[in-house]
Amino acid sequence: MSLIFYVLAALSVAGALAAVLLKNTVHCALALTVAFAGLALLFLQLDAQFAGFAQILVYIGAVAILVVFAILLTRGSETPKDGVYSRNWPVGLVIAACVFAVLGWAVLHSMSALPQGTSAVPVVTVLDIGNALMGRYVLPLEIVALLLTAALIGAVIVAMHEKERPK
Amino acid sequence: MISNADQIFVLLQHWLIGFLPPVLRPVAAVLLSAVGIIAVFPTLFALAVWMERKGLARMQNRRGPNRVGPFGLLQPIADGIKSLTKEDIVPLSADAVVHFMAPVVLVVVVFMGIAVLPIGRNMTLVNMDSGLLFFFAMGASTELSVFMAGWSSRNKYSLLGAMRGVAQMISYEVPLLMSSVAVVMITGSLSLDKIVAAQNQYTWGLPHWYIFTPWGLAAFVLFAVAATAETNRSPFDLPEGESELVAGYFTEYSGFKFALFFLGEYVGMLSISGLGTTLFLGGWSAPFSILGFVPSWIWFFAKVMLSICVFIWVRGTLPRMRQDQLMNFAWKFVLPLTLLNLFVAALWRILGDGWQRWVVCSAILLLTYGLMARIGMYREHIGPRKYRYAE
């Protein structure tokens, strides 16, 4: 656990807390982006280049943008007068605590499942990930790729026939 | 054939670091390279602005800047001083923090993207296994800055510009990525250094650049279109269309923050030209094997500035598109063509060395493009082109 880890962890947690506690919804979305960035940097700190960059590309580049778009296009970014806090926030807190407890329990117990004595982290390069995807996991990859391509082409086709050309 | 002139910056860096104790050397090396990038690219930005103003002026029968320095060359410096001394106005209802952060985020992210570009032989600041992925991750983050600027200004024009900008950047990011994936498929690596190395071979004195292959040429054209849209350049400059939206998402920025947006935009242009150069134009490799004695970094920057000239030329030539045309063009035209190109690139790889792959890939692409042109002309009721001279 280095100093960098603590800085990044603090950044992520602060971002996540701000996303929950801030009043303005757009500020919340931007704070969530900070949390995403913190997570991406954590991945990078663990030498997981691919996961880190994919996190930035997908979460900051796409999901965050989708969130702010949704906020702007639906309700407007104006803050309601009585605040954004729900009345039954204690229930949410309990649920969040339960989820956190389960995750924490799972993570802590997975320590014993690891083979003992191999403290050195295996180096997984992007090349290894590519080889694994193209070798052992090629079938799931192809299925996902086919699904996504079909969705993409389907979306284009749905958009393509919006009006008949007047003759 | 690696001369001293080729490695001059690398040697300079080693010489400078030599003065420091060994503990500090890795940090100092990175810092020096970063300082180099931060010094060189704004200089190129100034040069690009000058070129743009001169070039556009020439295309529009004007003279362009010609008062400050020889040929107006010092005009960017005068502009810089002017924007530094101007008052920094923040609208009363603006969201001060986000308003301040937007240009900072843009400039930081854009400069980070440059870090992975191989500027010359042994001259990549951060040589990553997945450099291309990093570049696109940084490119995707600029959208957030555009949104932050537009939203925080509390101005209808800003917000409209930001919405247009973000929608456009998301749409064109897909073809941008897809056209680059073809290069990754052929090279078998996401590392930009390896992509350049794969192109840095010569047959009969001619280079193996990807633009000289059928799929590479098609991918390069699609990449150039998507890159133009991604950098909000004309004819895709709707987000800042001055006739409709004042200045789009940075309408409410003045003084040096405006200059930062300007800087971010041009450095973004330079960096995406650098990526295009790296992916398709052989990066820092010479166009003929005889010219290998010219330092590699000169080739890189020459190619980048040539791309900038094309950007300026296109801006001076084409009218601005409409928003619906822009979206239709991205999703219904460029995207299917990039998918086809991926298929062609896969065929190229499968067919292996030999003349067959040239014939098959060229035939597929030519047939598709020719057919599409014919069908498009038939649908739009455009016959063969007629020329009318002064009658």
Side-chain angles (χ1 to χ4, degrees):
Chain A
M1 296 292 169
S2 60
L3 179 69
I4 297 174
F5 170 79
Y6 285 112
V7 172
L8 292 178
L11 183 77
S12 314
V13 172
L17 274 180
V20 181
L21 295 176
L22 284 178
K23 287 223 166 66
N24 192 322
T25 15
V26 174
H27 284 171
C28 296
L30 291 176
L32 190 66
T33 319
V34 174
F36 286 152
L39 276 184
L41 291 173
L42 270 179
F43 279 130
L44 289 182
Q45 198 233 347
L46 293 171
D47 277 339
Q49 272 193 10
F50 188 80
F53 296 153
Q55 167 91 10
I56 296 177
L57 197 63
V58 174
Y59 279 88
I60 298 180
V63 172
I65 295 290
L66 201 69
V67 168
V68 287
F69 249 68
I71 291 171
L72 279 186
L73 291 182
T74 50
R75 254 194 340 191
S77 53
E78 298 305 319
T79 317
K81 273 198 186 116
D82 49 344
V84 286
Y85 291 108
S86 165
R87 258 175 298 143
N88 42 11
W89 63 270
V91 184
L93 194 68
V94 169
I95 294 173
C98 290
V99 171
F100 185 78
V102 170
L103 283 178
W105 177 81
V107 169
L108 287 178
H109 277 255
S110 70
M111 297 291 258
S112 58
L114 284 177
Q116 295 297 314
T118 53
S119 58
V121 183
V123 181
V124 180
T125 61
V126 180
L127 192 69
D128 294 334
I129 296 176
N131 281 336
L133 281 178
M134 281 296 149
R136 192 173 161 198
Y137 301 105
V138 70
L139 191 66
L141 180 81
E142 287 298 319
I143 292 171
V144 171
L146 200 67
L147 196 70
L148 287 177
T149 313
L152 193 69
I153 295 173
V156 170
I157 286 175
V158 166
M160 206 172 260
H161 294 293
E162 55 193 5
K163 60 176 189 285
E164 290 298 312
R165 180 173 292 275
K167 290 281 173 189
Chain B
M1 193 164 45
I2 303 171
S3 62
N4 274 347
D6 188 22
Q7 295 294 299
I8 182 161
F9 294 112
V10 181
L11 295 174
L12 191 72
Q13 190 199 34
H14 282 264
W15 178 70
L16 279 175
I17 294 168
F19 291 110
L20 288 169
V23 188
L24 291 174
R25 277 180 196 173
V27 182
V30 172
L31 270 181
L32 261 181
S33 314
V35 166
I37 282 181
I38 292 171
V40 165
F41 277 86
T43 316
L44 285 180
F45 151 68
L47 191 65
V49 172
W50 176 80
M51 271 165 51
E52 169 136 36
R53 293 179 66 176
K54 271 297 201 198
L56 276 184
R58 279 297 163 199
M59 285 180 209
Q60 297 162 354
N61 277 343
R62 296 185 283 118
R63 282 190 183 280
N66 61 354
R67 285 288 172 267
V68 196
F71 306 107
L73 255 176
L74 300 181
Q75 185 69 42
I77 298 175
D79 287 348
I81 294 172
K82 184 186 80 173
S83 64
L84 265 178
T85 53
K86 266 190 171 178
E87 187 189 352
D88 175 28
I89 303 166
V90 180
L92 200 63
S93 62
D95 198 304
V97 180
V98 183
H99 192 264
F100 173 77
M101 286 302 289
V104 178
V105 169
L106 179 70
V107 169
V108 167
V109 160
V110 159
F111 272 102
M112 277 171 81
I114 291 177
V116 288
L117 292 180
I119 294 170
R121 204 189 304 266
N122 305 334
M123 280 168 70
T124 315
L125 172 52
V126 194
N127 185 10
M128 285 192 221
D129 264 352
S130 45
L132 192 66
L133 205 62
F134 177 80
F135 190 94
F136 283 126
M138 290 301 119
S141 309
T142 57
E143 290 157 16
L144 211 64
S145 145
V146 169
F147 170 79
M148 282 162 75
W151 175 79
S152 66
S153 300
R154 287 291 160 92
N155 177 330
K156 289 189 184 69
Y157 295 128
S158 296
L159 192 57
L160 271 176
M163 295 299 254
R164 281 185 180 187
V166 173
Q168 170 177 334
M169 285 161 103
I170 287 184
S171 306
Y172 280 91
E173 208 174 271
V174 182
L176 193 75
L177 267 161
M178 292 284 218
S179 52
S180 316
V181 165
V183 172
V184 177
M185 277 165 67
I186 299 295
T187 315
S189 173
L190 281 166
S191 155
L192 293 175
D193 272 16
K194 282 187 186 147
I195 290 173
V196 173
Q199 296 178 77
N200 193 16
Q201 307 162 16
Y202 298 90
T203 323
W204 307 322
L206 293 172
H208 282 203
W209 296 356
Y210 287 143
I211 192 176
F212 297 133
T213 55
W215 62 269
L217 183 62
F220 178 71
V221 173
L222 297 169
F223 181 89
V225 169
T228 316
E230 195 69 7
T231 48
N232 296 337
R233 290 283 303 183
S234 177
F236 304 104
D237 59 348
L238 282 146
E240 51 203 73
E242 54 278 85
S243 57
E244 306 155 20
L245 297 177
V246 193
Y249 51 87
F250 52 87
T251 303
E252 295 290 358
Y253 283 87
S254 57
F256 205 63
K257 285 185 196 159
F258 179 82
L260 278 184
F261 267 109
F262 212 55
L263 174 77
E265 200 165 294
Y266 273 81
V267 174
M269 221 162 89
L270 286 166
S271 75
I272 206 123
S273 304
L275 184 71
T277 302
T278 307
L279 291 182
F280 299 103
L281 303 179
W284 44 258
S285 64
F288 300 103
S289 58
I290 326 162
L291 292 174
F293 65 89
V294 179
S296 53
W297 42 273
I298 287 187
W299 287 121
F300 179 83
F301 286 116
K303 288 171 192 172
V304 167
M305 289 324 264
L306 196 71
S307 323
I308 298 288
C309 288
V310 175
F311 271 128
I312 295 167
W313 177 29
V314 168
R315 178 174 171 187
T317 311
L318 294 177
R320 188 177 292 143
M321 288 175 110
R322 245 176 21 227
Q323 187 70 29
D324 59 325
Q325 290 173 336
L326 182 99
M327 286 297 161
N328 284 348
F329 188 61
W331 292 104
K332 300 180 189 174
F333 189 82
V334 181
L335 184 64
L337 285 183
T338 50
L339 288 177
L340 175 82
N341 202 47
L342 279 186
F343 174 71
V344 172
L347 263 185
W348 179 270
R349 175 111 200 207
I350 290 168
L351 289 176
D353 292 325
W355 57 270
Q356 293 99 332
R357 62 178 184 178
W358 286 85
V359 176
V360 173
C361 294
S362 310
I364 293 177
L365 285 173
L366 280 177
L367 217 73
T368 318
Y369 280 66
L371 260 179
M372 280 183 57
R374 285 286 152 198
I375 293 172
M377 278 164 82
Y378 174 74
R379 275 213 191 143
E380 299 291 330
H381 303 289
I382 304 172
R385 185 175 285 185
K386 282 192 224 93
Y387 292 97
R388 289 178 64 208
Y389 304 99
E391 288 158 357

